[in-house]
Amino acid sequence: MKDAPSLAIGARALQRLRAVPACASALHDAEAVERVQRVALASDFAIDTLLRQPELLARLLTGAPELPLPELTAENRSEWPVLLRRYRMAGSARLVWRDVLGLDQVGDTLAGATELAETCLQRALAALENDFAQRHGVIRDKDGQPQRLVVYGLGKLGGGELNFSSDVDLVYAYECDGESDGARALAAETYYARLGQQLAKLLDEVTADGFSHRVDLRLRPYGNAGRVAWSFAAMEQYFQHEGRDWERYAWQKARPVAGDIAAGERFLESLRPFVYRRYLDYGALDGLRSMKAAISAEVARKELADDIKRGPGGIREIEFLVQALQLIRGGREAPLRERRLLPALQALVDAGHVTAEAGTALADAYGFLRRIENRLQMLADAQTHALPERSEDRERIAMALEYADWAALRAALDAQRARVTAEFDALLAPRRKAQAPAALASYWRALPDAGDAEELRDAGFAEAEQADGLLRDLARSPGVKGLSDSARARLDRVLPALLKAAAGSQQPMLALRRLLALLQNILRRSAYLALLDEQPAALQRLVDVVSRSALLAERLAAYPLLLDELLDARVGGSLPDRDALFAACAAVAGDGDTETVLQELNEVRQALSFRIAMAVRDRRQSAADSAQQLAWLADGVVARVLALAQHEVAGAHGIVEGARFAVLGYGSLGGEELGFGSDLDLVFLYDAAPDAQSNGARPLDATRWFARLAQKIVALLGAVTAAGRLFDVDVRLRPDGAKGLLVSSLASFSEYQRERAWTWEHQALVRARFIAGDATLHADFERVRADTLGKMRDPTQIRTDVVAMRRRMRAELDRSNADAPGGQFDLKQGEGGLVDLEFLLQALVLIKARTRGELLGPRNTPGLVVAMGEAGLFDADTVTALLDAHATLLARGLDCTLDRRPRQLPLDDTLEAARESIRKATRAKGFGFE
């Protein structure tokens, strides 16, 4: 404040203020004078406001709390405009004061400007509503309840980040059609249109006291040509059929700011699928490019290079960058659906879509630019984003921001804008990196009537004629012929790049056939073409996946939603643990209808199992870990389906109070060794009083209620949705098998295991595991299991029973012919295969669990092998050999599944060693499975 220009500005302001008694009395000390001088340097508007409202200066100097709210009543109707305008001016002057004196950060100023606008909107609307009710009555819904206008704030108002002198982007809506109930009744559309017009006029009209807030209604459907107020139903129809890309960006930030807030939020939830697609939406980048091109043309036409909002590296580029990434991924990732820019940017960083370094740089640039934007507007309360042309104004802004001069501020500004431009351009750049050879592009565009197959041979397709035939068929297909111009342009970029990548794979024709099957399924889904067009990394990974895994190629073709996973940063990273898998399943919306819940749950299951499969294929984790994760994922799915089934049965029949229910997993599910596409072996238990009944309108006794629940679980797990079915279920391992009841009471289950179960059923119980349900029933099941497995048994009889059962199974199921030249070994059922090992471990548990209780804990094969080593049943070398054998056979089996091959392989040294380790262990314990 020591330079002459700033001293002169401060002196003039003090002179004007001291001419007003109320202000003069407040300027009684040096600190007050110094504060006023600093504010005067930054804002002529603030000084003018203090002169108009001299009592305000004392409030600001003493740090008095919020300003008194304007009271708009029927009695002071003529004063509404002046009351609102004086309140807005006082509130704005307070924001200047706190910003300049360092009492608020940039975010506080933006939030304060937003709150100020909302207060004026809400006060004005409430006053006008009372006035309308007196003249026209109110609109009521079908239940007779009064309904209100919903005022949506879009843009920075919706995001809670309004700049100092911004207009407010509003859209008016209402929930129900109808007619008001007053003497001068109006139809809802007319009623709310007039109400909205009067609200805009009350805030926007310039009077002797200025304006309250500039109102912009052009973001409503059809802009100025559209109706002023829209019913929810009409808006929903509009967005379904005519909504444009720029409107998706606009409605990202939409927020009800006045009127019926709850109804407004409900409609926004229904609009979410329009804004956020359920897949990775790289098509949003085309809309971004179009908007950016239009803005760039406007900048060039109007010479707006020094516009810090629309110019290069300006605020709009940061907003577009963040919003585009939100639109691309927000349909899949709820935390990204954030109206406020900085929290949205942080969510992108947390999710790994923006690097921490870039996130920090963009956040810093955003704060820097918004602060300058506010200071430009604070100078004279003008809605400007352009750097000032007058040198005096430039120096004032620089000095008020504590820069040595304008050159220093400009250098800092240019550095921030350059970083923003670099990040923004990087977002739009990926497509340019995916250039296929010109010859392949020309070949494809010439099809089906021209084109030389030799171009394919030159590219690397040895069977060029076959490849040419497949591609000509694709070019002639209705799917390709029916593409829009924009989708065809995408395909013309994507397909040559796919050809190039397929030609470079280990099996070009195999990759091509699988890729064309996928393309046929996604031609009508422009977002998937957009993903491959925009992201060369996804395209290359796609070719790699389909050329090496028939299963994954089939799943991608059947469920293109999985293409999203090819680009997900998590695909190449660590995999979720059991809690994370459960959380992903539990997070599937519980308020949707059954079909929607099942489809969304299926999509979660498909995506997570795809991620696990990618880890197996890429050798990023062991087969045992992958099989365990697949089992945990199934646990989470069953738990979510149980909750859904309980809700449905209770809705029809009430609940059985005090009763308990549990789902048990047997087989590979219980043993936490599930494969890709495995079915689930389930057993259902319940516990209830003998005479228990449900308490609903159509009561059932407990047995029938829980039978209905179990039937519902099986049906829901097997229901076909657009994302496939969850799991096939096998319930034959229940007591008495197919002849027995679907659900067993705890008492009957215990009695059956104690008195009537066969040895093979006790073997199955070794792997049985609680999956979902009541925790106390879980504990009771564990006691029954421990009592059953730990009872006294004749070792000789166990050996006889187990060997007989194993030989019978092998005779029926073993597909090996390992001893023949070029023969195949059945990894699961063959001699020395996985089932031999499982039978050995199960038999040892039955023989030894009475004295070795530690054998009752593990359910999976590795855990049982280790436990038996610790119990002294296997020596250290045997433990190591069996763990290695199990890992080898499981890994080879999963590899076969991924490539859709039978689990039968020619013996090699590694397989022979694994097989011999298992045979040796079984013989050593007296089990002659051969």
Side-chain angles (χ1 to χ4, degrees):
M1 292 293 295
K2 295 181 180 179
D3 54 279
S6 61
L7 289 173
I9 292 168
R12 286 196 298 271
L14 287 170
Q15 183 179 11
R16 295 172 66 199
L17 291 169
R18 283 177 171 142
V20 180
C23 293
S25 63
L27 296 169
H28 52 74
D29 59 39
E31 183 180 358
V33 168
E34 192 269 339
R35 289 182 179 182
V36 169
Q37 286 179 307
R38 288 172 62 189
V39 170
L41 180 62
S43 177
D44 293 336
F45 160 77
I47 300 302
D48 290 342
T49 301
L50 292 176
L51 290 168
R52 287 170 174 261
Q53 302 183 47
E55 72 283 355
L56 181 61
L57 180 58
R59 295 183 65 88
L60 296 176
L61 285 168
T62 58
E66 301 298 324
L67 302 168
L69 296 170
E71 297 294 335
L72 310 183
T73 66
E75 289 73 28
N76 66 1
R77 178 113 178 38
S78 62
E79 298 179 34
W80 291 358
V82 66
L83 291 171
L84 287 168
R85 282 149 181 76
R86 287 177 60 83
Y87 177 74
R88 201 282 297 184
M89 290 179 69
S92 296
R94 181 176 178 274
L95 292 175
V96 174
W97 182 275
R98 295 186 61 81
D99 178 66
V100 171
L101 298 180
L103 302 173
D104 282 342
Q105 300 299 312
V106 177
D108 301 321
T109 305
L110 302 179
T114 302
E115 183 180 358
L116 186 58
E118 288 179 17
T119 300
C120 292
L121 274 166
Q122 291 163 5
R123 292 260 155 177
L125 177 60
L128 287 168
E129 283 177 324
N130 289 334
D131 185 57
F132 263 55
Q134 293 298 317
R135 290 188 286 140
H136 304 291
V138 297
I139 309 286
R140 298 183 183 276
D141 63 19
K142 63 182 185 330
D143 297 322
Q145 296 300 311
Q147 67 169 352
R148 301 181 67 192
L149 181 69
V150 178
V151 181
Y152 285 109
L154 276 65
K156 292 186 173 64
L157 175 61
E161 299 159 334
L162 204 62
N163 45 284
F164 178 78
S165 189
S166 176
D167 57 4
V168 290
D169 295 308
L170 304 182
V171 173
Y172 300 137
Y174 56 94
E175 191 162 19
C176 305
D177 280 309
E179 189 174 80
S180 63
D181 59 5
R184 297 159 59 191
L186 294 173
E189 181 182 336
T190 303
Y191 185 99
Y192 291 119
R194 291 184 184 178
L195 180 60
Q197 288 166 334
Q198 290 199 25
L199 176 63
K201 181 179 179 182
L202 181 56
L203 296 170
D204 187 278
E205 190 173 48
V206 178
T207 70
D209 296 288
F211 61 90
S212 174
H213 286 84
R214 305 176 192 88
V215 174
D216 190 338
L217 300 176
R218 292 175 297 173
L219 293 183
R220 67 186 188 268
Y222 299 117
N224 286 337
R227 66 190 80 163
V228 174
W230 286 66
S231 70
F232 287 174
M235 282 218 295
E236 188 167 12
Q237 284 292 311
Y238 170 83
F239 287 121
Q240 281 181 359
H241 300 292
E242 301 189 52
R244 290 159 286 180
D245 281 334
W246 71 261
E247 288 175 302
R248 294 178 60 203
Y249 282 87
W251 282 84
Q252 267 183 297
K253 291 183 174 291
R255 179 172 60 92
V257 294
D260 192 337
I261 303 295
E265 290 288 7
R266 286 196 300 272
F267 176 72
L268 286 182
E269 185 59 28
S270 72
L271 192 62
R272 181 166 61 82
F274 166 71
V275 177
Y276 293 109
R277 308 296 197 235
R278 291 175 59 243
Y279 38 74
L280 286 185
D281 184 20
Y282 275 88
L285 289 183
D286 266 355
L288 174 59
R289 288 189 181 99
S290 299
M291 289 188 287
K292 176 58 179 172
I295 291 168
S296 297
E298 181 186 20
V299 168
R301 185 174 66 253
K302 297 183 178 180
E303 298 182 350
L304 299 177
D306 276 348
D307 189 303
I308 65 168
K309 177 180 179 181
R310 292 170 290 180
I315 295 166
R316 177 103 7 121
E317 288 191 358
I318 302 176
E319 292 172 339
F320 278 175
L321 186 151
V322 171
Q323 287 184 264
L325 291 175
Q326 287 180 277
L327 284 181
I328 289 169
R329 298 179 173 278
R332 299 285 303 278
E333 300 176 48
L336 301 186
R337 299 171 206 153
E338 169 61 62
R339 294 165 175 138
R340 300 164 296 165
L341 187 133
L342 289 179
L345 178 57
Q346 186 58 51
L348 289 166
V349 172
D350 293 342
H353 306 313
V354 173
T355 66
E357 179 186 9
T360 299
L362 288 170
D364 290 345
Y366 182 74
F368 181 90
L369 291 168
R370 294 304 304 272
R371 189 175 187 217
I372 293 179
E373 176 188 47
N374 277 337
R375 290 301 180 90
L376 293 174
Q377 297 179 356
M378 287 175 177
L379 195 62
D381 193 22
Q383 189 184 10
T384 180
H385 304 92
L387 299 176
E389 296 181 1
R390 295 177 63 235
S391 59
E392 296 90 339
D393 291 340
R394 291 183 172 189
E395 294 301 325
R396 283 182 68 177
I397 289 172
M399 287 186 291
L401 288 168
E402 299 181 351
Y403 283 87
D405 53 28
W406 175 252
L409 174 57
R410 185 59 192 253
L413 174 61
D414 290 345
Q416 294 284 8
R417 291 176 70 177
R419 182 60 191 270
V420 172
T421 294
E423 294 292 342
F424 185 77
D425 288 346
L427 175 66
L428 300 182
R431 174 195 289 174
R432 305 182 198 120
K433 300 174 185 175
Q435 297 298 322
L440 285 176
S442 299
Y443 161 78
W444 163 248
R445 291 188 177 94
L447 297 182
D449 300 321
D452 186 353
E454 287 304 309
E455 298 292 355
L456 296 174
R457 196 181 311 280
D458 293 343
F461 288 95
E463 300 162 299
E465 290 76 13
Q466 292 184 37
D468 178 69
L470 293 173
L471 290 163
R472 288 182 190 277
D473 289 344
L474 176 67
R476 294 188 189 100
S477 68
V480 169
K481 288 184 175 180
L483 290 176
S484 66
D485 290 344
S486 61
R488 177 62 201 236
R490 283 197 187 280
L491 179 63
D492 288 347
R493 288 191 295 269
V494 166
L495 196 132
L498 285 173
L499 289 177
K500 176 188 175 184
S505 68
Q506 292 182 345
Q507 301 182 70
M509 279 303 299
L510 179 65
L512 179 62
R513 287 191 180 93
R514 291 173 177 175
L515 286 168
L516 294 185
L518 171 66
L519 275 178
Q520 288 282 14
N521 279 4
I522 67 172
L523 284 175
R524 297 291 184 183
R525 308 183 190 190
S526 60
Y528 297 127
L529 282 176
L531 185 152
L532 297 174
D533 185 24
E534 299 286 355
Q535 296 295 322
L539 186 146
Q540 186 60 54
R541 186 180 277 266
L542 171 64
V543 175
D544 184 47
V545 167
V546 301
S547 64
R548 293 171 54 192
S549 172
L551 175 68
L552 296 185
E554 287 176 15
R555 290 196 176 177
L556 284 166
Y559 312 114
L561 192 74
L562 293 173
L563 282 170
D564 298 357
E565 297 297 318
L566 295 175
L567 199 63
D568 196 314
R570 294 169 297 189
V571 166
S574 60
L575 282 105
D577 59 15
R578 190 174 195 275
D579 289 343
L581 291 167
F582 260 74
C585 295
V588 172
D591 54 354
D593 60 85
T594 298
E595 184 177 353
T596 301
V597 172
L598 289 178
Q599 177 159 337
E600 292 184 7
L601 186 59
N602 252 306
E603 289 172 359
V604 169
R605 181 191 64 82
Q606 290 273 19
L608 289 169
S609 62
F610 187 90
R611 199 174 302 167
I612 295 167
M614 293 284 287
V616 173
R617 193 206 62 144
D618 296 340
R619 300 291 188 261
R620 284 186 287 109
Q621 71 174 9
S622 71
D625 287 343
S626 299
Q628 188 175 54
Q629 284 170 338
L630 289 171
W632 291 343
L633 176 58
D635 291 354
V637 167
V638 171
R640 182 65 187 88
V641 167
L642 170 59
L644 181 62
Q646 286 174 322
H647 177 75
E648 291 196 2
V649 176
H653 303 289
I655 63 171
V656 182
E657 294 183 357
R660 303 177 297 165
F661 182 80
V663 182
L664 308 179
Y666 275 60
S668 57
L669 173 63
E672 296 184 322
E673 295 175 5
L674 210 60
F676 299 104
S678 295
D679 59 6
L680 305 184
D681 292 305
L682 299 182
V683 170
F684 304 105
L685 287 185
Y686 79 96
D687 182 49
D691 58 348
Q693 280 196 328
S694 64
N695 57 10
R698 292 182 291 159
L700 296 174
D701 62 72
T703 301
R704 292 172 61 204
W705 196 97
F706 286 109
R708 191 72 53 86
L709 177 62
Q711 290 166 349
K712 179 70 70 174
I713 292 170
V714 173
L716 292 176
L717 286 170
V720 178
T721 73
R725 71 176 77 224
L726 288 166
F727 289 100
D728 289 320
V729 175
D730 190 337
V731 294
R732 291 175 297 175
L733 290 179
R734 66 187 186 270
D736 288 319
K739 298 181 295 183
L741 297 174
L742 183 59
V743 184
S744 301
S745 70
L746 177 65
S748 66
F749 180 83
S750 177
E751 184 271 335
Y752 179 85
Q753 296 295 340
R754 186 174 60 250
E755 304 293 341
R756 295 186 288 127
W758 296 77
T759 298
W760 70 263
E761 290 178 289
H762 288 167
Q763 284 181 249
L765 194 61
V766 171
R767 289 162 71 87
R769 181 171 59 88
F770 174 86
I771 301 298
D774 187 278
T776 61
L777 190 51
H778 177 193
D780 287 341
F781 161 71
E782 290 294 335
R783 283 193 289 274
V784 171
R785 177 179 176 274
D787 290 345
T788 301
L789 297 180
K791 73 177 185 178
M792 180 71 73
R793 288 182 170 85
D794 177 1
T796 301
Q797 187 62 50
I798 293 297
R799 286 187 174 88
T800 300
D801 291 347
V802 171
V803 169
M805 176 57 73
R806 181 69 193 107
R807 288 177 177 175
R808 178 181 171 186
M809 285 180 64
R810 180 171 296 148
E812 296 177 0
L813 302 174
D814 185 5
R815 299 294 181 264
S816 299
N817 58 346
D819 296 329
Q824 302 281 308
F825 170 57
D826 187 327
L827 298 169
K828 182 175 181 181
Q829 296 291 346
E831 181 189 341
L834 286 168
V835 176
D836 277 7
L837 178 56
E838 290 170 9
F839 267 52
L840 170 64
L841 299 174
Q842 292 161 8
L844 291 176
V845 170
L846 296 182
I847 294 169
K848 296 293 185 180
R850 182 172 181 83
T851 57
R852 293 291 188 177
E854 64 268 32
L855 300 181
L856 294 173
R859 267 66 162 179
N860 60 56
T861 298
L864 284 167
V865 170
V866 171
M868 289 183 182
E870 292 172 348
L873 299 179
F874 295 147
D875 60 31
D877 289 342
T878 301
V879 168
T880 300
L882 291 179
L883 290 175
D884 289 345
H886 176 260
T888 295
L889 296 178
L890 191 63
R892 295 289 185 93
L894 286 180
D895 285 346
C896 289
T897 304
L898 284 176
D899 206 27
R900 282 293 191 214
R901 291 180 283 117
R903 284 183 288 185
Q904 299 157 24
L905 295 174
L907 281 170
D908 56 26
D909 291 345
T910 304
L911 281 180
E912 189 58 73
R915 185 184 181 202
E916 182 57 31
S917 294
I918 294 173
R919 287 192 296 194
K920 182 179 178 181
T922 57
R923 290 171 187 152
K925 295 300 178 182
F927 292 89
F929 292 153
E930 298 88 343

